[in-house]
Amino acid sequence: MYSEKVMDHFQNPRNVGEIDGASGVGTVGNAKCGDIMRMYLDIDDSHIIRDVKFKTFGCGAAVATSSMATELVKGKTIEEALKVTNKAVMEALDGLPPVKVHCSLLAEEAIHAALWDYAEKNGIKIEGLEKPKSDIHEDEEEEEEAY
C-alpha cells in the first residue's frame, strides 16, 4: 500500500523540530481527518531557505509528506520552493494511495503558509503566492477525484 520511500520518511523523518526565530512559520490543517502540519523556514538575505523544520500531528502519510517536503525545499530559493507542488511531493515519495493525497496537499500548503508568513513579516510580495487556507479539506475531494 505504501512505497518504501513513504515508509522510510515515516519511520525516519527528516528535519523534525522547530526553528527559534524562524523567518516564516506556517500552520495548516485538515479538519476532516485531523492532520495538522507546522513548517518553519530559515531564509537568508539572498532568499535561500537555509534550514527547514516541521512538526506534524497526523497519520504516517502526513509525517512522510512533511518530511519529504522539507527535503524538497531545503537549499532552494523562495521561488523554487513555491514551485514544490503536492504532485512533486507524491512523486518524490513514489506515490501515495488516493485516500492519502490530502496529506501531500497539506505539505504544499504548509510551505506556502510559511512563505506567506515570511512575506508578511518582511513586507514583501512573493510573485505567485496566494494567501494559504488554514483548512484544506474543501479542495480535497476535487484533488482525490483527479487520481
Side-chain angles (χ1 to χ4, degrees):
M1 186 166 164
Y2 290 110
S3 71
E4 284 182 32
K5 283 188 182 177
V6 171
M7 293 307 295
D8 181 41
H9 277 267
F10 165 62
Q11 294 170 333
N12 308 292
R14 283 66 152 178
N15 307 304
V16 175
E18 299 178 24
I19 298 174
D20 289 333
S23 307
V25 180
T27 304
V28 295
N30 183 318
K32 189 174 169 185
C33 70
D35 292 344
I36 300 169
M37 286 183 192
R38 179 169 288 156
M39 187 126 354
Y40 301 81
L41 301 176
D42 178 24
I43 302 171
D44 70 15
D45 293 337
S46 302
H47 292 190
I48 293 173
I49 299 169
R50 285 216 268 215
D51 198 10
V52 56
K53 301 272 186 214
F54 80 92
K55 284 195 161 183
T56 292
F57 179 83
C59 65
V63 172
T65 56
S66 301
S67 174
M68 181 55 81
T70 64
E71 291 283 283
L72 292 174
V73 300
K74 196 172 193 173
K76 301 286 193 289
T77 65
I78 290 172
E79 292 75 20
E80 290 168 330
L82 191 57
K83 293 177 185 167
V84 173
T85 63
N86 73 301
K87 289 181 178 76
V89 172
M90 286 194 300
E91 286 171 12
L93 288 168
D94 294 335
L96 285 173
V99 297
K100 295 298 180 179
V101 168
H102 68 274
C103 295
S104 64
L105 286 167
L106 267 180
E108 177 183 339
E109 283 298 311
I111 294 166
H112 291 183
L115 289 171
W116 183 267
D117 183 52
Y118 169 76
E120 292 277 294
K121 286 178 178 173
N122 291 280
I124 62 171
K125 180 173 178 10
I126 299 172
E127 196 63 40
L129 180 63
E130 296 177 16
K131 185 174 174 116
K133 302 173 191 78
S134 57
D135 179 4
I136 64 108
H137 92 274
E138 306 94 41
D139 296 337
E140 177 184 315
E141 286 82 13
E142 297 161 19
E143 284 289 332
E144 287 179 1
E145 287 170 12
Y147 292 93

